[in-house]
Amino acid sequence: MLSRSASDASFILVGKDNQGELSQTGGSATYAHDWSTAGTGGKLTVHGRHFVDAYGRVCNLRGVNISGNCKTPANHDHDSFPANHADVTFVGRPFPLEEAPDHLARLRRWGLTFVRFLITWEAVEHSGPGIYDTEYLEYVCNLLSLFPQYGLVAFVALHQDVWSRYTGGSGAPAWTLEAVGFDLHGLEEPGAAWLKGQKGGGHTEEERGLWPCGYQKLAAATMSTCFWAGDMFAPKLKAKMADGREVTIQQFLQESFLNMWEVIAKAVGGLEAVLGFEIMNEPHRGYIELQSMHAFDYNTDLHLGHVPTAFQSFMLGAGYPTTVGHWTRSFPMPTRLTSQRVINTSGQKAWREDGPTQGNCLWQMHGVWGWDQKKNEGVVLRENYFRRDPASGRDLEWYTDFWYPFVKRWAERVRSVTSEDKLVFTEPIPNEFCPASWTPERRPSNMVYAPHWYDLNTLFMKAFGNFTVNVQGLSRGMFPLKAFYWGQKGARDNFALQIRNIVEAGYRSLGETPIIIGECGIPMDMNKGEAFETDRWDWQTKMMDAMITALERSLVGFTLWNYNPDNDDHRGDDWNGENFSWFSQKRALPTSWLDYRQTSPTLDNGGRILRSVVRPYPAKTAGIPLRFDYELNTGEFTFEWAVPGGVSDAASSATVNDPPRSSHPSLKTNRTEIFVPAQLVNGRKLIVRGLKPEDEHTYDEEHQTLVILTHENAPGTGHRITVTVDPLPKPTFEVNDFWSDYGPQTAAVAAVVLALLLALVGSYLS
């Protein structure tokens, strides 16, 4: 029960020197999921593994990626691509400015107020080196300026996949490829890039999931190699900067990249909503550390469709028809080699005759391979070219030799035009654990580790059911039977193990560093898209629940992939056949019908599987979170936390459930704020159990905020509450496992087998 008034509860503080009032806006209390300066008492900072507000509370940030449509321009044309690349515009991505209140109010209602805001290099600098789209930058600035009004904050992430749209992904402008010598119109035939996904493709069974193979193809792999190590591996290739200086291709690409980032940072770095920046989405090493010119690593590089080796790619790009292996899906291994075929029978070159290589292969220019005129075949001349420094012969390691130094250089550049306390978000190569070599001297200050996680089996098969597989474990040598799970309980346990592995690997390598899962999501078109026909989203609901349950068990924040207003049932996210958005503007109500209050269900139209997505979570904890469990089917959650101090931490605690409790900033309040969605509580009574006699609570449905005020706050004091609603919501699904589904049958079979064995033993003894 609440003995003090709700207004009193908004400024109950701990400690004599900390008397003051928690921030309020417009005379009304702020809310749990408000990350504006008003809602946090100033700004969010990092301490150890936690985000912390001005009152010392641990903040659990969760939200969305906005948006998948930012990968392509607003005037993207499937039919004319890749023509007119200098004239594209990204103004209006992710949504027109006049529609922003609809989307921001919706995300506030759903409690998803921490945003990974996507931009691309192409969006900023598509017309040419040093020519920046000021109209787009002004649009972004105006949009981000609106965020705090709705409690939202963001980190600005430079998105890329497979280097560029022009190599089958997103990110860099077309002129970067032209600077290296590629012919934008000559990449498909020689297999240097797969571009059908940029032309509306990627939805058929033959095209499904092909785009990630682009990382190994000639164009993207060459671009990444030149970006990271052009001075080492392509020193003959030069380019001119916007000011006329001739520099190496690495200097050209990196200086252009950093100049572009400086322009972005200047434009938005001073905004209240911008906590920091992410250097690059899902970086890739290109050919660096390539172990063989004749094969890629099956465990790390997707093999699907036609997968030319590096050497085969070189020959194909040079215009030589070449026999290439074709891989198809299989089980238990993801794919297998099933056929071979000669491709590029027309002899198309990937290199421009009028380009800097004069139509020749860049790697042939550098003596990596050659063409034997007598035998009429290609020959590898330097098998270990990308494994070692060609000058010294020293073995190379992409992270230590290239990634870490560049991240620090980038962070210094961005902070030189913003402020030293800006957070910098970084991630490893996709599906790799945090490298142990990422030692403190190799990291910028205020770094946030932001890896990604997807269930690779579901992505690959575009199917989800009772049987799930731990691909992460299998790829690292796990015994196969241990990698198989059954039912919803199994999916939760499977995903929880994988995510915990990623998080704890981060803590082991980086020590006490904040971790945000920067991307995680599910394909809405799974199971052959049957939900679009039936409008039953049972399996999507189950999978999203399993994933978010797993994230909650690891006590990490996250940004879901993705909130895309342009998503529709037929085109999906309109990029490489993907369909991850659980919101579609085409299913939503028009603006004139919307009510922006947090309690308004008008904002929910257009959303799918919201029971799984919109869930309670402890947003601001006056202490250290230790455990959070939520059961979607009952609406019940249990939350445990402890007041910092009072215990000696282990020398190194890299586990998710035993966070350090000493040396935390002093708490200036005993007010814990938990987001509890109005969707769950509306028409029901909220019941809080586990409070100590003098503890208090109040629920503000208007702001979807449950406030807990603890009385005992001595260092080391633990708190545990269980929150339920009455009446219970209707269950969405059964949390089944193998024993609930097949227990009786298994027991019956076991009984029969046991009886037979006993009979055999009895007959033998007699």
Side-chain angles (χ1 to χ4, degrees):
M1 295 293 294
L2 179 65
S3 60
R4 296 184 177 91
S5 71
S7 60
D8 288 336
S10 71
F11 55 89
I12 297 174
L13 305 176
V14 176
K16 324 181 205 178
D17 302 325
N18 298 315
Q19 301 302 315
E21 187 170 344
L22 284 182
S23 300
Q24 299 187 12
T25 304
S28 62
T30 62
Y31 40 95
H33 46 300
D34 179 2
W35 304 118
S36 68
T37 55
T40 58
K43 64 179 179 179
L44 292 171
T45 57
V46 296
H47 181 86
R49 68 176 65 177
H50 301 300
F51 294 90
V52 180
D53 71 4
Y55 306 104
R57 295 180 295 184
V58 171
C59 298
N60 179 9
L61 307 177
R62 64 170 65 179
V64 295
N65 281 262
I66 298 180
S67 163
N69 66 5
C70 294
K71 297 182 180 187
T72 55
N75 59 346
H76 176 67
D77 183 357
H78 293 150
D79 297 328
S80 64
F81 178 84
N84 307 315
H85 53 78
D87 300 323
V88 298
T89 178
F90 286 75
V91 175
R93 295 296 201 206
F95 37 73
L97 206 58
E98 60 271 19
E99 296 176 8
D102 300 5
H103 301 292
L104 302 184
R106 181 175 291 117
L107 292 172
R108 177 179 61 184
R109 168 167 164 81
W110 293 347
L112 301 173
T113 46
F114 180 59
V115 171
R116 185 174 184 245
F117 188 87
L118 308 184
I119 59 174
T120 64
W121 187 353
E122 181 186 15
V124 178
E125 199 177 4
H126 47 83
S127 295
I131 305 172
Y132 304 109
D133 190 334
T134 55
E135 183 185 1
Y136 170 73
L137 291 168
E138 182 180 6
Y139 157 77
V140 169
C141 187
N142 289 335
L143 177 56
L144 289 170
S145 295
L146 297 175
F147 276 35
Q149 298 176 34
Y150 299 86
L152 274 70
V153 294
F155 65 102
V156 176
L158 192 79
H159 206 84
Q160 76 84 38
D161 310 272
V162 197
W163 183 260
S164 171
R165 281 199 305 139
Y166 306 94
T167 50
S170 65
W175 52 261
T176 61
L177 282 94
E178 293 177 331
V180 171
F182 282 117
D183 178 356
L184 298 180
H185 298 273
L187 299 179
E188 287 189 278
E189 179 65 22
W194 187 76
L195 300 179
K196 286 185 179 179
Q198 303 296 321
K199 302 175 181 180
H203 297 280
T204 66
E205 184 62 25
E206 312 84 68
E207 297 173 353
R208 173 168 60 86
L210 286 178
W211 74 262
C213 296
Y215 280 110
Q216 298 103 263
K217 296 189 186 298
L218 176 66
T222 295
M223 293 305 304
S224 291
T225 305
C226 288
F227 182 88
W228 300 115
D231 289 354
M232 185 176 290
F233 294 122
K236 296 179 182 179
L237 186 59
K238 311 290 184 182
K240 284 190 175 181
M241 296 296 297
D243 60 9
R245 289 179 295 125
E246 185 176 79
V247 296
T248 65
I249 192 61
Q250 176 183 329
Q251 291 173 311
F252 173 77
L253 292 172
Q254 290 192 354
E255 284 192 33
S256 297
F257 181 89
L258 293 173
N259 291 343
M260 174 269 309
W261 252 117
E262 182 175 325
V263 169
I264 294 171
K266 280 182 178 178
V268 303
L271 299 177
E272 177 188 341
V274 178
L275 294 182
F277 304 100
E278 182 180 1
I279 177 174
M280 180 185 297
N281 178 72
E282 297 185 352
H284 197 271
R285 55 173 63 88
Y287 291 129
I288 299 168
E289 293 186 77
L290 182 67
Q291 298 300 301
S292 172
M293 297 288 181
H294 302 282
F296 287 105
D297 186 343
Y298 183 85
N299 288 322
T300 59
D301 301 310
L302 178 61
H303 287 56
L304 186 63
H306 287 104
V307 183
T309 66
F311 176 42
Q312 290 169 345
S313 292
F314 300 159
M315 293 188 291
L316 287 165
Y320 298 108
T322 303
T323 301
V324 174
H326 187 270
W327 298 71
T328 55
R329 288 176 170 83
S330 65
F331 186 83
M333 302 306 290
T335 61
R336 63 188 178 92
L337 181 64
T338 53
S339 63
Q340 296 191 356
R341 183 167 71 88
V342 176
I343 63 174
N344 197 18
T345 54
S346 65
Q348 171 71 49
K349 283 187 175 183
W351 304 94
R352 291 167 40 222
E353 295 292 343
D354 62 346
T357 68
Q358 298 181 331
N360 297 311
C361 172
L362 176 65
W363 306 119
Q364 191 173 10
M365 280 175 53
H366 286 84
V368 180
W369 71 285
W371 188 262
D372 188 323
Q373 297 292 346
K374 291 183 179 179
K375 295 183 178 180
N376 196 34
E377 64 182 18
V379 181
V380 173
L381 302 176
R382 304 179 75 175
E383 171 70 17
N384 297 318
Y385 187 71
F386 297 108
R387 291 177 57 191
R388 302 188 180 101
D389 183 337
S392 67
R394 176 180 62 87
D395 284 346
L396 295 173
E397 206 273 334
W398 178 77
Y399 282 111
T400 55
D401 290 321
F402 306 105
W403 177 238
Y404 303 153
F406 189 73
V407 168
K408 290 192 71 174
R409 184 179 166 200
W410 163 79
E412 290 169 2
R413 186 71 168 271
V414 165
R415 286 171 171 163
S416 71
V417 294
T418 55
S419 63
E420 285 296 320
D421 59 358
K422 282 294 178 188
L423 303 180
V424 292
F425 294 73
T426 60
E427 57 183 286
I429 290 172
N431 306 318
E432 294 189 4
F433 287 163
C434 185
S437 56
W438 214 340
T439 49
E441 70 277 7
R442 291 172 169 155
R443 305 196 298 262
S445 60
N446 280 347
M447 189 181 96
V448 177
Y449 181 55
H452 297 174
W453 182 86
Y454 292 94
D455 179 50
L456 296 180
N457 187 59
T458 301
L459 287 198
F460 188 66
M461 304 303 295
K462 264 210 179 163
F464 180 78
N466 277 315
F467 178 67
T468 58
V469 180
N470 182 347
V471 175
Q472 180 195 86
L474 285 176
S475 68
R476 290 165 172 81
M478 176 182 282
F479 181 62
L481 290 181
K482 291 184 67 176
F484 300 151
Y485 295 79
W486 183 265
Q488 185 67 9
K489 183 179 183 300
R492 289 175 174 178
D493 292 344
N494 177 8
F495 296 173
L497 175 61
Q498 294 186 52
I499 291 172
R500 189 177 75 229
N501 286 340
I502 291 172
V503 172
E504 292 185 345
Y507 291 148
R508 283 194 300 273
S509 296
L510 304 173
E512 291 299 305
T513 298
I515 296 178
I516 287 285
I517 304 300
E519 281 187 25
C520 49
I522 69 167
M524 297 302 294
D525 57 345
M526 63 172 67
N527 301 342
K528 299 182 179 180
E530 61 186 25
F532 297 116
E533 303 296 328
T534 64
D535 206 33
R536 291 180 59 87
W537 304 89
D538 300 351
W539 290 112
Q540 289 86 347
T541 298
K542 287 184 175 183
M543 186 177 178
M544 182 66 84
D545 167 74
M547 184 184 75
I548 298 184
T549 296
L551 291 158
E552 289 167 346
R553 289 182 187 178
S554 285
L555 298 173
V556 290
F558 54 87
T559 46
L560 296 172
W561 186 268
N562 83 102
Y563 179 93
N564 183 355
D566 289 343
N567 177 280
D568 66 35
D569 294 354
H570 302 290
R571 297 182 308 162
D573 293 324
D574 198 21
W575 181 86
N576 276 315
E578 288 197 343
N579 193 335
F580 280 82
S581 179
W582 30 264
F583 172 76
S584 172
Q585 184 65 46
K586 291 192 175 180
R587 291 170 171 252
L589 295 176
T591 299
S592 59
W593 291 16
L594 295 181
D595 176 352
Y596 291 160
R597 289 177 297 177
Q598 294 193 43
T599 53
S600 174
T602 63
L603 295 166
D604 295 340
N605 291 80
R608 298 174 287 211
I609 63 171
L610 294 183
R611 282 275 307 263
S612 287
V613 174
V614 182
R615 18 197 319 139
Y617 65 94
K620 298 163 183 167
T621 303
I624 308 295
L626 302 177
R627 175 174 156 255
F628 181 79
D629 289 318
Y630 173 62
E631 177 50 60
L632 176 153
N633 291 288
T634 63
E636 178 177 304
F637 65 87
T638 297
F639 179 42
E640 296 182 22
W641 71 101
V643 179
V647 294
S648 297
D649 296 322
S652 60
S653 175
T655 64
V656 298
N657 294 319
D658 186 24
R661 304 183 202 181
S662 62
S663 71
H664 189 80
S666 61
L667 285 172
K668 300 176 182 178
T669 181
N670 61 347
R671 176 187 172 103
T672 290
E673 299 180 18
I674 302 172
F675 171 75
V676 182
Q679 293 176 1
L680 176 62
V681 182
N682 185 36
R684 299 184 176 95
K685 181 181 179 182
L686 187 75
I687 302 166
V688 181
R689 297 187 176 93
L691 293 174
K692 296 171 184 175
E694 296 190 42
D695 294 345
E696 301 157 23
H697 78 277
T698 184
Y699 178 64
D700 177 0
E701 185 172 349
E702 182 182 352
H703 296 98
Q704 307 185 98
T705 296
L706 171 62
V707 174
I708 303 294
L709 301 170
T710 53
H711 180 73
E712 295 181 25
N713 297 295
T717 302
H719 301 282
R720 181 180 187 274
I721 60 170
T722 297
V723 179
T724 58
V725 292
D726 183 33
L728 296 177
K730 182 180 178 181
T732 304
F733 50 74
E734 179 188 356
V735 184
N736 63 316
D737 62 8
F738 179 83
W739 296 109
S740 67
D741 286 354
Y742 299 107
Q745 299 92 321
T746 303
V749 171
V752 171
V753 171
L754 181 59
L756 290 172
L757 287 174
L758 290 174
L760 288 172
V761 171
S763 64
Y764 174 77
L765 292 176
S766 62

